[in-house]
Amino acid sequence: MRPSRRVAAALSPARGEGGGLPRLLVPGALACLVWVCGARNPPEAFCPAVPGPNASRLEQSCDRERAAAGIGAWSLSLGSLLDPFPIDPIQENYVRNVRNCIFSIVYPTPFKSRVLLVAVSEEVIEDILDLHISVKETSDFLQFVSGEKVLHGSVPLAHRYGGHQFGSWAGQLGDGRAHMVGVYTNRCGERWELQLKGSGKTPYSRNGDGRAVLRSSVREFLCSEAMHYLGIPTSRAASLVVSDDAVWRDQFYNGNIKKERGAIVLRLAKSWFHIGSLEILAHSGELDLLRRLLDFIIHEHFPSIVPNSSDRYLEFFSTVVSETANLIALWMSVGFAHDFVPNTSDDEGRYKIGNQANVGLFNLNKLLQALKPLLDPRQKQLASHILEEYGQTYYVRFTELFKRKLGLLGDSEDDNYLIAFLLKLMEDTKADFTMTFRQLSEITAEQLKELHIPEEFWALQDLGKHGLFSEWVAMYLSRLDGNRDDSDIKRRKRMTTVNPRYVLRNWMAESAVRKANLNDFSEVQLLQQVLQHPFQRQQAAEKAGYALRPPAWARDLKVSCSS
């Protein structure tokens, strides 16, 4: 049996057009995972490398002391972003078309009602922001993360950018409900840009109110942190607050407008520049500013590129192509769909999981179009060749990751087929992605050989209903026998370090959101704790059913662009 075209496409070089994934462009972290779909304000940022889940703890050799529990002496700055570029000369806060600048100065709009601190990331607070976790108990901190207080040295900014929505140029988008409130350089010399999400109107709000609601903010907070602990580049979430301010939303765009509660997430990234940051300048013919912004991004975030090299833009593009392929392969390795099929706004399935590599190609093509005014004919030709290599780069990385997930050592000419064969069985039987790989990590080779699948391995039982399951098992066990200096115990131990037992499933987030709407934030906090250790079996997670089949009520769950 050969895999279907649909499954083979997941293993093949990407072709075609897509659009709408977050397009962050700095080595190692091209996705900040801050939007569920491409319908409104997709954040297409160039994020620099974000440390892996153990990086901060390993960097305790940085010898500068943490700040005290208060943030009074804590220093933020935006000079590094304000000084190099012209600022929007209009400082009144009203929606308008903005030109000839990168940022507009605009202050957050404080909530009018009481504000509650729902969750904080201790690692972000202490290891990135150099604050003691007790800072969360102070009124200064609450006022800062809710947009009520602007710290010394900060001049809040909203970023101007453009972008595509569902494949079509949407013109000016920009930070319609986000404010950059400072740049912090921590004791390890890491530079982090702090942004409030849901903090009020800006010149880029279009018809929006500049607010985020509790349900989408819970999802963002948990998803950002979950992806980090899976070892996947992402932005970080420092805090989540909720207010009693009324925010009106038509969640599924069906005319059913409901009153919800406003919320704000304080999130961090090495950079919030987007592909759209460049696109808007290229589309507007602001080529001098385009060059200045590119040179700034390269200087700040691409240290391996010689700043005055005549080929610096070409090298920049090559790096982004490679990192995009790597990021999307990582997404696929954990079954993450930036916009999954249940999204009611994506009725054509444009952003479904099988299209993600293609959407990456689409985004990179749009980046190339933005760069072309600054490239000479030779560089344009070379850039086109670089883009053509994207599919192969993705294919190689995808294969490497899935070989690790299956515990394969060395190389075999049949490895790609073995992977595609399994994915086809999973597609046909609708076997759970996460638990299929996890249970393959836990079941013994002898149990597989005998086709004796204990009840606890429910995803493998589903897979075993396929008529070709025994054929795949025989092929898989034969391949494992080819692992040199290996044992079944070593194989299983190795696989459990790359195949998570817990991921943030839609039903888990929905359960936490429903409780949060009733002022019960216990499941938000439980999930936050569980998702910090996704590869380790945890008693609390098992009790909550996080490794069991999704509950029946979850079958009809849907999300939208405001979810």
Side-chain angles (χ1 to χ4, degrees), residues 103-317:
F103 298 103
S104 297
I105 296 176
V106 57
Y107 283 74
T109 304
F111 289 123
K112 297 178 180 179
S113 62
R114 66 168 183 161
V115 178
L116 298 176
L117 183 63
V118 173
V120 297
S121 167
E122 181 174 347
E123 182 180 277
V124 172
I125 296 297
E126 295 203 331
D127 294 350
I128 294 180
L129 297 180
D130 298 334
L131 294 166
H132 192 276
I133 191 59
S134 60
V135 73
K136 69 179 184 178
E137 308 296 337
T138 67
S139 60
D140 281 349
F141 181 78
L142 182 61
Q143 290 172 0
F144 170 62
V145 300
S146 62
E148 183 178 349
K149 182 174 185 176
V150 175
L151 298 185
H152 176 72
S154 173
V155 180
L157 302 175
H159 175 42
R160 172 194 177 212
Y161 60 84
H164 289 76
Q165 297 176 328
F166 295 100
S168 299
W169 175 246
Q172 176 181 291
L173 297 173
D175 289 335
R177 53 177 173 173
H179 296 77
M180 188 163 336
V181 292
V183 176
Y184 180 70
T185 302
N186 66 18
R187 69 190 186 282
C188 298
E190 299 171 343
R191 177 186 178 279
W192 290 87
E193 296 180 2
L194 282 63
Q195 188 184 80
L196 295 177
K197 170 79 172 289
S199 44
K201 284 188 175 182
T202 77
Y204 310 99
S205 295
R206 296 184 288 172
N207 296 322
D209 58 15
R211 291 300 188 192
V213 293
L214 178 59
R215 55 186 160 81
S216 63
S217 300
V218 166
R219 289 174 183 271
E220 174 164 349
F221 181 89
L222 291 175
C223 189
S224 294
E225 293 303 282
M227 295 295 275
H228 169 73
Y229 288 104
L230 286 170
I232 296 179
T234 176
S235 63
R236 301 299 304 275
S239 63
L240 167 64
V241 299
V242 63
S243 77
D244 288 331
D245 281 25
V247 177
W248 295 90
R249 286 290 184 272
D250 182 356
Q251 181 178 357
F252 296 110
Y253 310 108
N254 58 6
N256 186 19
I257 300 175
K258 293 183 178 180
K259 183 173 72 172
E260 302 190 50
R261 300 168 71 189
I264 292 177
V265 174
L266 173 62
R267 58 192 192 180
L268 291 71
K270 295 296 188 68
S271 171
W272 290 104
F273 284 124
H274 311 122
I275 290 178
S277 307
L278 306 179
E279 283 185 286
I280 192 70
L281 301 178
H283 272 265
S284 302
E286 300 168 41
L287 301 187
D288 177 66
L289 194 50
L290 173 63
R291 187 183 301 275
R292 291 167 62 183
L293 178 55
L294 261 174
D295 286 343
F296 175 85
I297 290 170
I298 290 171
H299 179 269
E300 290 290 325
H301 302 296
F302 291 76
S304 64
I305 299 177
V306 178
N308 59 357
S309 168
S310 61
D311 283 333
R312 61 191 182 279
Y313 303 144
L314 194 63
E315 294 177 49
F316 165 80
F317 182 65

Side-chain angles (χ1 to χ4, degrees), residues 14 28 77 118 208 518:
S77 171
V118 173
L518 299 174

Side-chain angles (χ1 to χ4, degrees), residues 32 39 69 300 342 360 379 421 443 518 529:
C32 291
E300 290 290 325
Q379 292 169 334
F421 193 167
I443 197 169
L518 299 174
Q529 294 301 313

Side-chain angles (χ1 to χ4, degrees), residues 12 24 32 36 46 52 110 129-130 144 183 209 228 236 265 303 326 376 403 406 415 428-429 454 464 476 500 510:
S12 301
L24 308 165
C32 291
V36 235
F46 310 109
L129 297 180
D130 298 334
F144 170 62
V183 176
D209 58 15
H228 169 73
R236 301 299 304 275
V265 174
N326 177 64
D376 62 31
K403 285 177 62 176
L406 288 174
D415 285 348
D428 289 350
T429 60
Y476 178 52
E510 179 66 19

Side-chain angles (χ1 to χ4, degrees), residues 50-70:
V50 175
N54 298 316
S56 294
R57 299 293 181 187
L58 294 175
E59 290 168 351
Q60 294 304 306
S61 58
C62 303
D63 56 8
R64 201 174 91 203
E65 292 294 326
R66 283 198 182 100

